[in-house]
């Protein structure tokens, strides 16, 4: 910093905030750190009793914090994400549409591994809404060397750091298994839950079929739904190790390629993910019906966003896969499913 006369300060940069006091009317910051002094500011500063100022000496290659943050944010933000105006060197990244948030965590680490660069986001793989705050970025000092900003931009040129994947509106088929439902001894309660859950994500259950605890019958229902042109199939009931539960073997019999039977998630341990060609077929355990949040909420939105889920994706859920069954559920604003 250096001290300078107010009359000679035009074009210099304030090193600290300046408070204005108007008795009985106002007390607060009139000029903030980083403000570039303009000709019209001189009379205001003199009226505030300021004859001298502390200003920042900067090199020709220095970039102001607002400009640096804006350049980083523009490079980082992918589809569906907007930026706020810079404020005190910080820019926030805001959702402009509904969809699944994706963050390239490796790219993020490479970016912030540089000194003087800060970028923080919320967790990925959750459904976000328009206007929701997703991330924020800034540089640490008031001015940063141009080379630092260029290096950050170079890192971000390698990929998209943060983006929103739209949720596709799919046609969903449901197969409900279980002799007790098939025979009419009890009323199906799972179907209406799935209609609601898929509906909230923008997709529609177009057909529900019922099957006894029989592999071939379950497989035939799955084939019927595929012939009808559904985009995804949910199979409910019969997911345990009980000898009468034939859903996993029925999915296999229909030609399902099994990605995983079982997930390191509670509730949701008996979840099954498979594909028949490019159609996801998910075996949904009973917890999806009665739990406020379950493995359904961790996996299905990703499938609706077009993501091809791997076995490793499922296993990574083990770190953070325990729901605490809070009295008031705050998901996704909690640790559930956050690896």
């Amino acid at each position: 910093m250096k001290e300078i006369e107010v009359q000679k300060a035009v074009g210099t940069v304030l090193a600290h905030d300046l408070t204005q006091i108007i008795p009985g009317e106002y007390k607060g910051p009139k000029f903030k750190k980083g403000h570039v002094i303009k000709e019209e500011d001189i009379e205001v500063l003199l009226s505030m009793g300021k004859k001298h100022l502390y200003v920042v000496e900067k090199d020709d290659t220095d970039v102001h914090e607002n400009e640096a943050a804006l350049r980083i944010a523009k490079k980082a933000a992918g589809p569906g994400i907007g930026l706020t105006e810079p404020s005190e060197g910080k820019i926030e990244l805001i959702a402009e549409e509904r969809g699944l948030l994706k963050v390239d965590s490796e790219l993020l680490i490479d970016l912030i591994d540089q000194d003087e660069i800060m970028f923080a986001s919320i967790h990925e793989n959750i459904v976000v809404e328009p206007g929701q705050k997703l991330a924020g970025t800034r540089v640490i000092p008031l001015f940063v060397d141009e080379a630092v900003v260029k290096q950050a931009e170079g890192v971000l040129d390698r990929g998209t750091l943060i983006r929103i994947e739209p949720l596709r509106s799919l046609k969903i088929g449901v197969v409900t298994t279980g002799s007790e439902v098939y025979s009419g001894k009890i009323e199906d309660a799972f179907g209406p839950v799935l209609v609601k859950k898929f509906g909230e994500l923008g997709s529609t259950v177009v057909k529900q079929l019922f099957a006894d605890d029989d592999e071939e019958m379950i497989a035939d229902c799955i084939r019927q739904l595929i012939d009808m042109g559904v985009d995804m199939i949910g199979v409910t009931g019969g997911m345990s190790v009980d000898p009468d539960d034939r859903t996993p073997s029925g999915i296999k019999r229909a030609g399902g390629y099994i990605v995983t039977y079982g997930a390191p998630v509670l509730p949701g341990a008996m979840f099954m993910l498979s594909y028949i060609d490019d159609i996801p077929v998910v075996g949904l355990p009973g917890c999806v019906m009665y739990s406020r949040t379950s493995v359904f909420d961790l996996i299905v939105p990703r499938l609706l966003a077009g993501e091809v889920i791997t076995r490793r994706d499922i296993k990574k859920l083990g770190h953070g896969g325990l729901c605490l069954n809070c009295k008031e559920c705050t998901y996704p604003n909690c640790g559930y499913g956050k690896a």
Side-chain angles (χ1 to χ4, degrees):
M1 294 190 300
K2 71 174 182 178
E3 183 181 317
I4 191 171
E5 293 179 12
V6 165
Q7 289 88 346
K8 298 178 180 179
V10 174
T12 61
V13 179
L14 274 178
H16 57 88
D17 293 350
L18 290 178
T19 299
Q20 183 181 43
I21 300 175
I22 303 175
E25 293 184 24
Y26 175 78
K27 178 181 178 181
K30 179 64 178 177
F31 300 103
K32 293 186 176 183
K33 180 186 76 170
H35 176 74
V36 178
I37 302 298
K38 303 178 178 63
E39 186 68 45
E40 57 266 29
D41 298 333
I42 301 302
E43 285 303 316
V44 178
L45 289 163
L46 290 170
S47 73
M48 293 167 57
K50 304 297 181 185
K51 295 183 180 180
H52 297 83
L53 301 173
Y54 282 120
V55 297
V56 176
E57 293 187 284
K58 62 186 274 307
D59 296 330
D60 292 339
T61 59
D62 284 346
V63 180
H64 187 266
E65 59 181 357
N66 283 349
E67 180 188 345
L70 183 59
R71 286 168 60 179
I72 292 168
K74 282 182 174 179
K75 284 281 188 178
I81 296 177
L83 311 178
T84 64
E85 291 295 321
S87 175
E88 299 180 328
K90 181 180 73 174
I91 288 180
E92 293 177 347
L93 288 77
I94 307 295
E96 291 185 330
E97 62 185 47
R98 188 171 195 247
L100 186 77
L101 179 66
K102 301 298 293 185
V103 178
D104 187 331
S105 58
E106 292 301 319
L107 195 62
L108 172 59
I109 291 170
D110 288 346
L111 173 67
I112 60 178
D113 193 42
Q114 302 175 85
D115 291 336
E116 303 182 327
I117 303 292
M118 195 290 299
F119 194 106
S121 76
I122 63 173
H123 283 285
E124 68 166 351
N125 291 328
I126 62 171
V127 177
V128 296
E129 304 291 342
Q132 186 172 341
K133 186 191 303 184
L134 308 177
T137 187
R138 66 171 303 148
V139 293
I140 303 304
L142 180 59
F143 287 93
V144 66
D145 193 275
E146 171 70 17
V148 173
V149 182
K150 282 190 174 295
Q151 186 174 352
E153 290 176 320
V155 170
L156 294 170
D157 280 337
R158 304 204 312 252
T160 302
L161 176 52
I162 183 168
R163 70 187 191 276
I164 294 175
E165 292 290 345
L167 299 179
R168 301 172 299 166
S169 180
L170 301 187
K171 295 179 291 183
I172 310 297
V174 173
V175 179
T176 297
T177 73
S179 60
E180 69 280 16
V181 176
Y182 181 73
S183 64
K185 287 184 170 63
I186 67 169
E187 185 177 353
D188 169 53
F190 219 139
V193 171
L194 292 185
V195 169
K196 181 175 183 292
K197 281 183 172 289
F198 277 110
E200 289 172 344
L201 295 171
S203 289
T204 304
V205 174
V206 295
K207 186 68 174 179
Q208 181 180 12
L209 299 176
F210 295 88
D212 204 347
D213 291 314
D214 178 86
E215 291 178 16
E216 183 54 43
M217 187 179 290
I218 293 168
D220 184 62
C221 287
I222 292 171
R223 297 187 196 106
Q224 287 184 55
L225 291 172
I226 291 173
D227 290 343
M228 290 175 56
V230 301
D231 304 304
M232 185 188 301
I233 296 171
V235 186
T236 73
M239 292 302 301
S240 77
V241 294
D242 189 289
D244 289 328
D245 288 345
R246 304 296 177 87
T247 297
S249 55
I251 293 173
K252 290 180 184 177
R253 194 177 185 92
Y257 163 73
I258 308 302
V259 176
T260 182
Y261 176 29
V265 173
L266 291 172
M270 304 307 292
F271 173 79
M272 185 177 199
L273 173 63
S274 65
Y275 288 89
I276 298 179
D277 296 325
D278 60 349
I279 298 174
V281 180
V282 292
L284 300 171
C287 62
V288 174
M289 177 171 54
Y290 58 76
S291 295
R292 164 65 178 80
T293 306
S294 70
V295 67
F296 180 98
D297 304 279
L298 305 184
I299 297 299
V300 170
R302 296 170 68 175
L303 294 172
L304 294 179
E307 189 172 342
V308 177
I309 304 293
T310 66
R311 178 180 175 84
R312 181 168 176 79
D313 291 328
I314 299 293
K315 301 311 176 185
K316 285 170 67 176
L317 293 174
H319 182 201
L322 176 64
C323 176
L324 296 178
N325 295 313
C326 302
K327 187 174 182 181
E328 286 195 25
C329 181
T330 60
Y331 181 83
N333 300 319
C334 68
Y336 183 54
K338 312 298 194 303

